[in-house]
Amino acid sequence: GADASAAIRVNQLGFEPQSEKLAVVTDGAASSFDVVAADTGKTVFSGKLGAPASWKPSAETVRVADFSALKTPGEYRIKIDGQAQSDRFVIRADAYRALNAAAIKSYYLNRSGIALLPQYAGVYARPAGHPDDKVLVHASAVSKQRAEGSVLSSPKGWYDAGDYNKYIVNSGISTYTLLAAFEHFPQYFAKQNLSIPESGNGLPDILNEALWNLDWMLTMQDPNDGGVYHKLTNKSFDGMVMPDQAQQAPRYVVQKSTAATLDFAATMAAASRIFKAYEQQRPGLSARMMAAAEAAWQWAQANPAVVFRNPSDIKTGEYGDAHLDDEFAWAAAELYIGTGKDSYYRAIKAEQLPATTPAWSDVGGLAWISLAQHRAHLTPAADRKLIERRIDGLAVNLAASWRDSAYRVAMQDKDFVWGSNAVVLNQAMMLLQGYRLNGKAEYLQAAQSGLDYVLGRNATGYSFVTGFGARPAMHPHHRPSEADKVAAPVPGFLVGGPQAGQQDKKDCPAPYPANLPATSYLDHVCSYASNEIAINWNAPLVYVSAALDQLTAG
Ligand code: G3I
Ligand code: 9MR
């Protein structure tokens, strides 16, 4: 029954045959478990539960069921005491193919400025919204060449999240992470057909999708000085309506900021090296991106401390960040890889740059990812040993937290912030960098646990990806999912996840079911603090699902 199965938490999608396979059991009484064939109920594997251990973020005592030795493809459930049964899950090759495709397709389904046609979007087809071909320069963004109220064209791009604005800081890390997935696992994406308008044009679809946003980002740079506007936005958030019904006009480009300009520089430099191979499809694009990246870098040198804060009349997402060392380092690293200029290497200040789990406000880890990826081809100025030490040092720490954790996840109390589900996936992405560097099996296992967590092995029992798993989030704070006439939410989105802040309480008619860091989650459309979706949260889902399919293949 539903109640009994809630006590056995498992990745509700399933596993690659060769992967580590763990479930977590909240029932303290049983000491053994069985894995049974989902259809016949026949036992195919039996094991002992691990010792009871407590997990601080949920204040639960749990035991681990390890059935990694079961490698036979099939559909299964876990059973304890001959009674409580888990949800169904599969063991099969390419276990995350459909998940990965949907996670990328969600970007198409969140595109601004284009009608989603039924042949690509199915029931989620909708008219175009936010053409953004006439946006105004906000008072905060005036320059010699562009007076207040000047009109710019800045179409395309993805809506940031459940809201309809477009923010450069968040676009940077999101787009880069998709590009990194492609750069690291090109074979995985080579034949993927996402059924988007550009499919079949000679570019892999993940790059087609990334281009939709890169084309927009390029319009956000002021060609007169290289600076980049922080965001393109309404004055306040739209209502819970479809994009074409959002009537707030005008839209504005708001203040250039150092963070946005550097995130833009890093992303364009990375994109430039990837699109070099596609000169035929987009002539001149790679060179244009590198020129844009260098111009942005120059602006940031001249304007090194312009921290963004919302002007008083602008009430939308801020993405304000006063710590800019990591943004400088990331941009310098990508420019160094792209140009081979040692001056950029020195600007990284690598000795002082820690490797941390990436987030929109903390992009130093992205510099280390790119440096490690390209370490064989760097100039002698680069310290290869340092690059390896940084990547491995973070992976060692994350793996230690994972091993010590009752739930076998690297997350600790402090990681349950707004968008916690992306924290665990970005941790997994960094563990995968460690694994790609030195092949330590436990890094791969710990990364697998990160994906398991968002797909059901967590303290809420939900799968946090819309459309995937037996009990997925159904009511994300996502305007199209709420306003369309379709019962199921737009699929392939990672929701933000539990965190105890509950900043949306005043806007929620329903109470949160629990208050602890790992259980403070509300599957209600009101809950922008635990149940919104966002492009930066989906990006590590794309990366990790592809990597685990590719790296675990028998
Ligand atoms: O920086 C402080 C830190 O010093 C302090 O110790 C800590 C304690 O709570 O808070 C830190 O600030 C947090 C900030 O993110 C920076 O990480 C805030 O608490 C937290 O509320 C804030 O959350 C952000 C949220 O917007 C509200 O501003 C999320 O990271 C960010 O992902 C989210 O992004 C929104 C956009 O603004 C609008 N579009 C939707 C998107 C997703 O919800
Ligand atoms: O919908 C908004 C969401 O995208 C943001 O992440 C969130 C926090 O900035 O704010 C949401 O908008 C809410 C606003 O802040 C307060 N009134 C209710 C709005 C939700 O409908």
Side-chain angles (χ1 to χ4, degrees):
D3 289 345
S5 58
I8 306 173
R9 272 87 183 239
V10 64
N11 179 331
Q12 295 165 23
L13 207 55
F15 305 90
E16 288 275 341
Q18 302 301 325
S19 72
E20 182 172 69
K21 305 176 194 74
L22 304 178
V24 157
V25 174
T26 55
D27 180 352
S31 61
S32 64
F33 70 98
D34 296 318
V35 182
V36 303
D39 293 336
T40 63
K42 199 173 140 240
T43 299
V44 296
F45 183 90
S46 299
K48 291 244 163 309
L49 294 172
S54 62
W55 198 46
K56 191 154 168 277
S58 66
E60 290 171 295
T61 297
V62 298
R63 308 176 74 155
V64 170
D66 185 342
F67 52 104
S68 306
L70 178 61
K71 298 174 196 286
T72 313
E75 198 173 354
Y76 304 101
R77 291 173 189 267
I78 296 165
K79 217 172 181 176
I80 336 170
D81 277 348
Q83 287 181 31
Q85 286 206 338
S86 76
D87 298 312
R88 286 166 178 251
F89 59 89
V90 299
I91 295 177
R92 69 156 174 254
D94 273 347
Y96 309 125
R97 274 271 166 200
L99 171 70
N100 180 267
I104 304 171
K105 182 109 180 216
S106 76
Y107 289 86
Y108 165 72
L109 296 168
N110 230 36
R111 283 187 188 184
S112 167
I114 187 176
L116 305 187
L117 303 178
Q119 61 265 44
Y120 310 120
V123 293
Y124 302 104
R126 56 166 170 78
H130 306 89
D132 291 338
D133 52 349
K134 291 183 194 68
V135 304
L136 303 188
V137 172
H138 184 263
S140 60
V142 297
S143 65
K144 233 185 335 176
Q145 296 86 356
R146 292 179 166 178
E148 184 178 352
S150 312
V151 180
L152 304 180
S153 178
S154 190
K156 300 184 160 185
W158 303 309
Y159 296 128
D160 180 60
D163 66 308
Y164 292 142
N165 304 299
K166 307 191 290 199
Y167 310 81
I168 286 290
V169 164
N170 210 36
S171 271
I173 183 172
S174 307
T175 310
Y176 167 82
T177 302
L178 297 190
L179 294 174
F182 175 77
E183 189 174 45
H184 300 183
F185 307 104
Q187 323 85 291
Y188 188 79
F189 296 104
K191 297 222 163 59
Q192 187 180 55
N193 186 319
L194 298 176
S195 184
I196 56 179
E198 299 81 8
S199 295
N201 66 356
L203 286 176
D205 274 350
I206 189 171
L207 295 188
N208 277 323
E209 197 48 56
L211 266 179
W212 185 261
N213 204 57
L214 287 161
D215 282 343
W216 167 66
M217 288 178 75
L218 284 167
T219 70
M220 290 289 280
Q221 182 174 44
D222 183 344
N224 302 297
D225 64 6
V228 178
Y229 301 108
H230 194 78
K231 59 176 171 177
L232 190 164
T233 185
N234 301 341
K235 284 199 163 175
S236 58
F237 289 114
D238 288 301
M240 298 306 277
V241 298
M242 293 301 282
D244 63 302
Q245 299 298 310
Q247 298 300 348
Q248 264 196 67
R251 301 222 320 155
Y252 298 91
V253 292
V254 184
Q255 194 193 313
K256 293 166 193 166
S257 72
T258 307
T261 302
L262 290 168
D263 288 339
F264 172 100
T267 306
M268 284 304 158
S272 170
R273 68 175 181 257
I274 286 162
F275 284 100
K276 237 180 227 155
Y278 300 95
E279 197 53 30
Q280 228 186 326
Q281 286 82 6
R282 290 288 297 261
L285 179 65
S286 170
R288 182 179 166 212
M289 286 169 156
M290 186 50 81
E294 293 213 79
W297 175 261
Q298 289 309 325
W299 187 91
Q301 294 307 301
N303 302 272
V306 185
V307 172
F308 182 81
R309 294 291 171 227
N310 266 335
S312 59
D313 61 336
I314 301 284
K315 311 287 183 201
T316 54
E318 186 164 73
Y319 291 120
D321 178 9
H323 300 108
L324 299 170
D325 291 0
D326 53 313
E327 282 79 11
F328 272 106
W330 180 34
E334 303 296 349
L335 282 159
Y336 169 59
I337 293 163
T339 63
K341 289 183 196 162
D342 287 347
S343 56
Y344 284 127
Y345 183 79
R346 287 190 296 274
I348 300 170
K349 300 189 181 138
E351 291 287 349
Q352 288 116 272
L353 182 68
T356 49
T357 297
W360 64 260
S361 56
D362 187 358
V363 291
L366 307 180
W368 291 114
I369 292 177
S370 286
L371 289 168
Q373 170 70 13
H374 293 275
R375 68 191 181 284
H377 308 285
L378 302 177
T379 69
D383 184 344
R384 280 173 194 69
K385 285 272 167 305
L386 177 66
I387 295 169
E388 289 165 20
R389 243 179 12 248
R390 283 288 192 277
I391 294 278
D392 191 64
L394 177 56
V396 165
N397 286 336
L398 291 170
S401 305
W402 162 78
R403 210 181 312 105
D404 290 349
S405 144
Y407 253 85
R408 291 286 196 89
V409 286
M411 297 181 96
Q412 305 174 31
D413 269 354
K414 67 169 171 46
D415 295 317
F416 288 90
V417 296
W418 191 312
S420 60
N421 286 335
V423 175
V424 69
L425 289 178
N426 277 312
Q427 290 175 337
M429 182 168 78
M430 295 314 288
L431 283 157
L432 288 163
Q433 304 316 306
Y435 179 73
R436 295 178 68 237
L437 194 70
N438 58 30
K440 278 192 199 157
E442 69 166 9
Y443 294 169
L444 187 61
Q445 293 163 353
Q448 175 71 45
S449 279
L451 187 64
D452 292 349
Y453 173 90
V454 300
L455 290 171
R457 201 178 91 215
N458 62 62
T460 70
Y462 279 96
S463 162
F464 290 125
V465 182
T466 57
F468 286 83
R471 46 186 100 228
M474 286 300 287
H475 310 287
H477 185 84
H478 178 236
R479 284 166 173 72
S481 292
E482 173 68 1
D484 64 16
K485 300 275 174 318
V486 184
V490 178
F493 279 119
L494 182 77
V495 297
Q499 59 110 0
Q502 302 188 358
Q503 293 87 338
D504 48 24
K505 241 189 330 209
K506 60 183 185 320
D507 294 310
C508 282
Y512 275 74
N515 297 316
L516 296 169
T519 55
S520 180
Y521 169 73
L522 183 57
D523 185 19
H524 191 292
V525 63
C526 67
S527 185
Y528 48 85
S530 82
N531 210 32
E532 190 164 357
I533 61 93
I535 56 174
N536 61 314
W537 302 338
N538 252 63
L541 177 63
V542 170
Y543 187 99
V544 171
S545 55
L548 290 177
D549 263 348
Q550 185 81 19
L551 297 173
T552 316

